[in-house]
Short mmCIF file of all heavy atoms in Angstrom, two decimals:
data_model
loop_
_atom_site.label_atom_id
_atom_site.label_comp_id
_atom_site.label_asym_id
_atom_site.label_seq_id
_atom_site.Cartn_x
_atom_site.Cartn_y
_atom_site.Cartn_z
N TRP A 359 -9.75 17.27 21.55
CA TRP A 359 -9.41 18.67 21.66
C TRP A 359 -8.74 19.21 20.38
O TRP A 359 -8.43 20.37 20.28
CB TRP A 359 -8.47 18.91 22.85
CG TRP A 359 -7.19 18.12 22.78
CD1 TRP A 359 -6.03 18.50 22.16
CD2 TRP A 359 -6.98 16.82 23.31
NE1 TRP A 359 -5.09 17.51 22.31
CE2 TRP A 359 -5.64 16.47 23.01
CE3 TRP A 359 -7.77 15.90 24.03
CZ2 TRP A 359 -5.10 15.24 23.39
CZ3 TRP A 359 -7.23 14.71 24.40
CH2 TRP A 359 -5.91 14.37 24.08
N LEU A 360 -8.53 18.30 19.39
CA LEU A 360 -7.91 18.71 18.12
C LEU A 360 -8.96 18.70 17.02
O LEU A 360 -9.89 17.91 17.01
CB LEU A 360 -6.78 17.74 17.76
CG LEU A 360 -5.58 17.67 18.68
CD1 LEU A 360 -4.58 16.64 18.15
CD2 LEU A 360 -4.90 19.04 18.80
N THR A 361 -8.79 19.62 16.08
CA THR A 361 -9.66 19.64 14.92
C THR A 361 -9.40 18.41 14.04
O THR A 361 -8.40 17.70 14.24
CB THR A 361 -9.43 20.90 14.07
OG1 THR A 361 -8.09 20.85 13.55
CG2 THR A 361 -9.64 22.17 14.87
N VAL A 362 -10.26 18.17 13.09
CA VAL A 362 -10.07 17.08 12.15
C VAL A 362 -8.71 17.20 11.46
O VAL A 362 -7.94 16.23 11.37
CB VAL A 362 -11.21 17.08 11.11
CG1 VAL A 362 -10.85 16.21 9.89
CG2 VAL A 362 -12.50 16.58 11.72
N GLN A 363 -8.38 18.38 10.98
CA GLN A 363 -7.10 18.58 10.31
C GLN A 363 -5.94 18.26 11.20
O GLN A 363 -4.99 17.58 10.80
CB GLN A 363 -6.99 20.03 9.82
CG GLN A 363 -5.66 20.39 9.16
CD GLN A 363 -5.66 21.77 8.57
OE1 GLN A 363 -6.52 22.10 7.75
NE2 GLN A 363 -4.73 22.61 8.99
N ASP A 364 -5.97 18.73 12.46
CA ASP A 364 -4.88 18.49 13.38
C ASP A 364 -4.79 17.02 13.79
O ASP A 364 -3.68 16.52 14.06
CB ASP A 364 -5.02 19.40 14.62
CG ASP A 364 -4.73 20.86 14.30
OD1 ASP A 364 -4.06 21.12 13.29
OD2 ASP A 364 -5.21 21.72 15.05
N ASN A 365 -5.92 16.34 13.87
CA ASN A 365 -5.90 14.90 14.14
C ASN A 365 -5.19 14.15 13.01
O ASN A 365 -4.38 13.25 13.27
CB ASN A 365 -7.33 14.37 14.30
CG ASN A 365 -7.78 14.28 15.75
OD1 ASN A 365 -7.34 13.42 16.51
ND2 ASN A 365 -8.64 15.21 16.13
N ILE A 366 -5.46 14.52 11.76
CA ILE A 366 -4.89 13.83 10.65
C ILE A 366 -3.36 13.95 10.61
O ILE A 366 -2.65 12.98 10.31
CB ILE A 366 -5.50 14.35 9.31
CG1 ILE A 366 -6.96 13.91 9.20
CG2 ILE A 366 -4.70 13.87 8.11
CD1 ILE A 366 -7.71 14.49 8.02
N VAL A 367 -2.86 15.15 10.96
CA VAL A 367 -1.41 15.38 10.84
C VAL A 367 -0.67 15.19 12.16
O VAL A 367 0.46 15.66 12.32
CB VAL A 367 -1.12 16.77 10.25
CG1 VAL A 367 -1.66 16.88 8.84
CG2 VAL A 367 -1.68 17.86 11.12
N LEU A 368 -1.28 14.50 13.11
CA LEU A 368 -0.64 14.31 14.40
C LEU A 368 0.69 13.57 14.26
O LEU A 368 1.70 13.97 14.87
CB LEU A 368 -1.59 13.55 15.33
CG LEU A 368 -1.26 13.54 16.82
CD1 LEU A 368 -1.18 14.95 17.38
CD2 LEU A 368 -2.29 12.71 17.58
N GLY A 369 0.71 12.51 13.47
CA GLY A 369 1.95 11.77 13.27
C GLY A 369 3.03 12.60 12.62
O GLY A 369 4.17 12.68 13.14
N PRO A 370 2.75 13.25 11.48
CA PRO A 370 3.74 14.13 10.85
C PRO A 370 4.24 15.23 11.79
O PRO A 370 5.41 15.62 11.74
CB PRO A 370 2.99 14.70 9.65
CG PRO A 370 2.02 13.62 9.28
CD PRO A 370 1.57 13.04 10.60
N LYS A 371 3.37 15.72 12.67
CA LYS A 371 3.79 16.74 13.61
C LYS A 371 4.84 16.20 14.57
O LYS A 371 5.87 16.83 14.84
CB LYS A 371 2.61 17.29 14.40
CG LYS A 371 2.97 18.42 15.34
CD LYS A 371 1.73 18.98 16.05
CE LYS A 371 2.09 20.14 16.98
NZ LYS A 371 0.89 20.68 17.68
N PHE A 372 4.60 14.97 15.09
CA PHE A 372 5.55 14.34 15.97
C PHE A 372 6.89 14.06 15.24
O PHE A 372 7.95 14.02 15.87
CB PHE A 372 5.00 13.04 16.55
CG PHE A 372 3.97 13.22 17.62
CD1 PHE A 372 2.89 12.37 17.68
CD2 PHE A 372 4.07 14.26 18.51
CE1 PHE A 372 1.91 12.54 18.67
CE2 PHE A 372 3.11 14.42 19.52
CZ PHE A 372 2.03 13.59 19.58
N SER A 373 6.79 13.87 13.93
CA SER A 373 8.01 13.62 13.11
C SER A 373 8.67 14.91 12.68
O SER A 373 9.58 14.86 11.82
CB SER A 373 7.64 12.77 11.88
OG SER A 373 7.10 11.52 12.28
N LYS A 374 8.23 16.05 13.20
CA LYS A 374 8.86 17.34 12.94
C LYS A 374 8.68 17.81 11.52
O LYS A 374 9.50 18.55 10.96
CB LYS A 374 10.36 17.33 13.28
CG LYS A 374 10.69 16.81 14.68
CD LYS A 374 10.07 17.67 15.77
CE LYS A 374 10.47 17.15 17.15
NZ LYS A 374 9.83 17.95 18.25
N VAL A 375 7.60 17.36 10.86
CA VAL A 375 7.26 17.87 9.52
C VAL A 375 6.84 19.33 9.65
O VAL A 375 6.13 19.70 10.60
CB VAL A 375 6.17 17.00 8.88
CG1 VAL A 375 5.69 17.61 7.56
CG2 VAL A 375 6.66 15.59 8.66
N SER A 376 7.23 20.15 8.71
CA SER A 376 6.94 21.59 8.82
C SER A 376 5.44 21.89 8.75
O SER A 376 4.66 21.04 8.24
CB SER A 376 7.64 22.34 7.68
OG SER A 376 7.03 22.06 6.43
N LYS A 377 5.07 23.03 9.22
CA LYS A 377 3.64 23.40 9.29
C LYS A 377 3.05 23.45 7.89
O LYS A 377 1.89 23.00 7.69
CB LYS A 377 3.51 24.75 9.98
CG LYS A 377 2.07 25.15 10.26
CD LYS A 377 2.02 26.43 11.09
CE LYS A 377 0.58 26.80 11.43
NZ LYS A 377 0.51 28.04 12.24
N ASN A 378 3.76 24.01 6.93
CA ASN A 378 3.24 24.08 5.56
C ASN A 378 3.05 22.69 4.96
O ASN A 378 2.05 22.43 4.27
CB ASN A 378 4.18 24.91 4.67
CG ASN A 378 4.07 26.42 4.97
OD1 ASN A 378 3.06 26.88 5.52
ND2 ASN A 378 5.11 27.15 4.61
N GLU A 379 4.01 21.81 5.20
CA GLU A 379 3.89 20.43 4.69
C GLU A 379 2.70 19.72 5.33
O GLU A 379 1.97 19.00 4.67
CB GLU A 379 5.18 19.67 4.95
CG GLU A 379 6.32 19.99 4.04
CD GLU A 379 7.54 19.13 4.34
OE1 GLU A 379 8.34 19.49 5.24
OE2 GLU A 379 7.69 18.08 3.69
N ARG A 380 2.55 19.97 6.63
CA ARG A 380 1.41 19.34 7.34
C ARG A 380 0.08 19.80 6.78
O ARG A 380 -0.87 19.03 6.64
CB ARG A 380 1.45 19.62 8.86
CG ARG A 380 2.67 19.02 9.55
CD ARG A 380 2.44 18.87 11.05
NE ARG A 380 2.04 20.09 11.72
CZ ARG A 380 2.88 20.99 12.27
NH1 ARG A 380 4.19 20.78 12.15
NH2 ARG A 380 2.45 22.05 12.89
N LYS A 381 0.00 21.08 6.41
CA LYS A 381 -1.23 21.58 5.81
C LYS A 381 -1.51 20.91 4.47
O LYS A 381 -2.67 20.52 4.18
CB LYS A 381 -1.13 23.09 5.61
CG LYS A 381 -2.40 23.73 5.08
CD LYS A 381 -2.24 25.24 4.98
CE LYS A 381 -3.54 25.88 4.47
NZ LYS A 381 -3.39 27.35 4.36
N ASP A 382 -0.46 20.71 3.67
CA ASP A 382 -0.64 20.00 2.39
C ASP A 382 -1.07 18.57 2.60
O ASP A 382 -1.94 18.04 1.88
CB ASP A 382 0.67 20.04 1.59
CG ASP A 382 1.02 21.43 1.08
OD1 ASP A 382 0.11 22.27 1.01
OD2 ASP A 382 2.21 21.65 0.77
N ILE A 383 -0.48 17.89 3.59
CA ILE A 383 -0.84 16.51 3.90
C ILE A 383 -2.28 16.43 4.32
O ILE A 383 -3.05 15.55 3.86
CB ILE A 383 0.09 15.95 5.00
CG1 ILE A 383 1.51 15.76 4.49
CG2 ILE A 383 -0.46 14.60 5.54
CD1 ILE A 383 2.52 15.46 5.55
N ALA A 384 -2.69 17.34 5.22
CA ALA A 384 -4.09 17.35 5.70
C ALA A 384 -5.06 17.54 4.54
O ALA A 384 -6.06 16.83 4.41
CB ALA A 384 -4.26 18.43 6.76
N ASN A 385 -4.78 18.51 3.67
CA ASN A 385 -5.66 18.78 2.53
C ASN A 385 -5.75 17.57 1.60
O ASN A 385 -6.81 17.26 1.08
CB ASN A 385 -5.15 20.00 1.77
CG ASN A 385 -5.35 21.30 2.53
OD1 ASN A 385 -6.22 21.40 3.39
ND2 ASN A 385 -4.57 22.31 2.19
N HIS A 386 -4.61 16.91 1.41
CA HIS A 386 -4.59 15.75 0.53
C HIS A 386 -5.53 14.65 1.05
O HIS A 386 -6.34 14.08 0.29
CB HIS A 386 -3.17 15.20 0.43
CG HIS A 386 -3.05 13.87 -0.28
ND1 HIS A 386 -3.22 13.73 -1.63
CD2 HIS A 386 -2.83 12.62 0.22
CE1 HIS A 386 -3.09 12.44 -1.97
NE2 HIS A 386 -2.87 11.77 -0.87
N TYR A 387 -5.42 14.35 2.37
CA TYR A 387 -6.22 13.25 2.91
C TYR A 387 -7.66 13.65 3.17
O TYR A 387 -8.56 12.81 3.09
CB TYR A 387 -5.54 12.68 4.16
CG TYR A 387 -4.33 11.86 3.83
CD1 TYR A 387 -3.04 12.34 3.97
CD2 TYR A 387 -4.50 10.58 3.23
CE1 TYR A 387 -1.95 11.59 3.59
CE2 TYR A 387 -3.42 9.83 2.85
CZ TYR A 387 -2.12 10.31 3.03
OH TYR A 387 -1.06 9.58 2.65
N LEU A 388 -7.89 14.92 3.46
CA LEU A 388 -9.28 15.40 3.56
C LEU A 388 -10.01 15.23 2.22
O LEU A 388 -11.17 14.82 2.19
CB LEU A 388 -9.33 16.85 3.99
CG LEU A 388 -9.08 17.12 5.48
CD1 LEU A 388 -8.84 18.62 5.71
CD2 LEU A 388 -10.25 16.62 6.32
N GLU A 389 -9.29 15.51 1.14
CA GLU A 389 -9.88 15.33 -0.19
C GLU A 389 -10.09 13.83 -0.46
O GLU A 389 -11.16 13.44 -1.00
CB GLU A 389 -8.98 15.91 -1.25
CG GLU A 389 -9.54 15.83 -2.66
CD GLU A 389 -8.66 16.49 -3.68
OE1 GLU A 389 -7.62 17.13 -3.29
OE2 GLU A 389 -8.97 16.40 -4.90
N MET A 390 -9.16 13.00 -0.04
CA MET A 390 -9.27 11.57 -0.28
C MET A 390 -10.48 10.98 0.41
O MET A 390 -11.16 10.09 -0.14
CB MET A 390 -8.00 10.86 0.21
CG MET A 390 -8.05 9.35 0.05
SD MET A 390 -6.55 8.56 0.64
CE MET A 390 -5.39 9.11 -0.60
N ILE A 391 -10.81 11.45 1.62
CA ILE A 391 -11.93 10.88 2.36
C ILE A 391 -13.22 11.71 2.16
O ILE A 391 -14.18 11.54 2.91
CB ILE A 391 -11.62 10.75 3.88
CG1 ILE A 391 -11.32 12.13 4.50
CG2 ILE A 391 -10.46 9.78 4.08
CD1 ILE A 391 -11.11 12.08 6.00
N ASN A 392 -13.18 12.62 1.17
CA ASN A 392 -14.36 13.43 0.85
C ASN A 392 -14.87 14.28 2.01
O ASN A 392 -16.07 14.37 2.30
CB ASN A 392 -15.50 12.54 0.33
CG ASN A 392 -15.13 11.82 -0.93
OD1 ASN A 392 -14.59 12.40 -1.86
ND2 ASN A 392 -15.39 10.50 -0.96
N MET A 393 -13.91 14.91 2.74
CA MET A 393 -14.26 15.72 3.91
C MET A 393 -13.52 17.06 3.88
O MET A 393 -13.17 17.60 4.93
CB MET A 393 -13.97 14.94 5.20
CG MET A 393 -14.90 13.78 5.45
SD MET A 393 -14.58 12.93 7.01
CE MET A 393 -14.81 14.25 8.24
N THR A 394 -13.31 17.60 2.70
CA THR A 394 -12.52 18.83 2.56
C THR A 394 -13.09 19.96 3.42
O THR A 394 -12.32 20.75 4.03
CB THR A 394 -12.49 19.25 1.09
OG1 THR A 394 -11.95 18.20 0.30
CG2 THR A 394 -11.64 20.50 0.90
N GLU A 395 -14.40 20.06 3.48
CA GLU A 395 -15.01 21.19 4.22
C GLU A 395 -15.05 20.97 5.75
O GLU A 395 -15.54 21.84 6.48
CB GLU A 395 -16.43 21.44 3.70
CG GLU A 395 -17.43 20.32 3.97
CD GLU A 395 -17.46 19.24 2.91
OE1 GLU A 395 -16.41 18.98 2.31
OE2 GLU A 395 -18.56 18.67 2.71
N PHE A 396 -14.53 19.85 6.24
CA PHE A 396 -14.66 19.53 7.66
C PHE A 396 -13.30 19.65 8.41
O PHE A 396 -13.21 19.24 9.57
CB PHE A 396 -15.21 18.15 7.87
CG PHE A 396 -16.65 17.99 7.43
CD1 PHE A 396 -16.95 17.50 6.15
CD2 PHE A 396 -17.69 18.37 8.25
CE1 PHE A 396 -18.25 17.36 5.74
CE2 PHE A 396 -19.00 18.25 7.83
CZ PHE A 396 -19.29 17.76 6.56
N GLY A 397 -12.30 20.22 7.76
CA GLY A 397 -10.99 20.27 8.40
C GLY A 397 -10.96 21.02 9.72
O GLY A 397 -10.18 20.67 10.61
N GLY A 398 -11.78 22.03 9.87
CA GLY A 398 -11.73 22.86 11.07
C GLY A 398 -12.68 22.46 12.18
O GLY A 398 -12.74 23.14 13.21
N VAL A 399 -13.44 21.37 11.99
CA VAL A 399 -14.41 20.97 13.03
C VAL A 399 -13.75 19.97 13.98
O VAL A 399 -12.66 19.45 13.72
CB VAL A 399 -15.70 20.38 12.40
CG1 VAL A 399 -16.29 21.32 11.41
CG2 VAL A 399 -15.41 19.02 11.76
N TYR A 400 -14.46 19.68 15.07
CA TYR A 400 -13.94 18.77 16.09
C TYR A 400 -14.64 17.42 16.01
O TYR A 400 -15.77 17.33 15.48
CB TYR A 400 -14.12 19.38 17.47
CG TYR A 400 -13.20 20.57 17.69
CD1 TYR A 400 -13.59 21.85 17.29
CD2 TYR A 400 -11.94 20.40 18.25
CE1 TYR A 400 -12.75 22.94 17.46
CE2 TYR A 400 -11.08 21.49 18.44
CZ TYR A 400 -11.48 22.76 18.04
OH TYR A 400 -10.64 23.82 18.20
N PRO A 401 -14.00 16.35 16.50
CA PRO A 401 -14.59 15.00 16.35
C PRO A 401 -16.02 14.87 16.84
O PRO A 401 -16.83 14.19 16.23
CB PRO A 401 -13.60 14.13 17.17
CG PRO A 401 -12.31 14.82 17.05
CD PRO A 401 -12.63 16.31 17.07
N TYR A 402 -16.36 15.57 17.94
CA TYR A 402 -17.72 15.43 18.50
C TYR A 402 -18.79 15.97 17.56
O TYR A 402 -19.99 15.65 17.71
CB TYR A 402 -17.81 16.11 19.88
CG TYR A 402 -17.83 17.62 19.84
CD1 TYR A 402 -19.03 18.31 19.69
CD2 TYR A 402 -16.67 18.34 19.94
CE1 TYR A 402 -19.04 19.70 19.65
CE2 TYR A 402 -16.65 19.73 19.92
CZ TYR A 402 -17.84 20.39 19.77
OH TYR A 402 -17.86 21.76 19.75
N GLU A 403 -18.38 16.76 16.59
CA GLU A 403 -19.34 17.33 15.62
C GLU A 403 -19.59 16.38 14.44
O GLU A 403 -20.38 16.71 13.56
CB GLU A 403 -18.82 18.67 15.12
CG GLU A 403 -18.60 19.70 16.22
CD GLU A 403 -18.03 20.99 15.69
OE1 GLU A 403 -18.82 21.86 15.23
OE2 GLU A 403 -16.79 21.13 15.71
#
Side-chain angles (χ1 to χ4, degrees):
W359 59 88
L360 297 179
T361 64
V362 164
Q363 176 174 305
D364 289 338
N365 264 286
I366 290 173
V367 297
L368 194 59
K371 183 178 181 180
F372 286 142
S373 298
K374 309 298 183 183
V375 173
S376 71
K377 188 174 182 179
N378 285 338
E379 285 183 274
R380 295 201 306 270
K381 184 176 180 180
D382 290 341
I383 290 170
N385 289 337
H386 171 73
Y387 286 103
L388 283 168
E389 183 177 354
M390 178 180 290
I391 61 174
N392 298 313
M393 289 182 59
T394 302
E395 67 272 32
F396 293 96
V399 307
Y400 290 86
Y402 73 88
E403 300 177 87

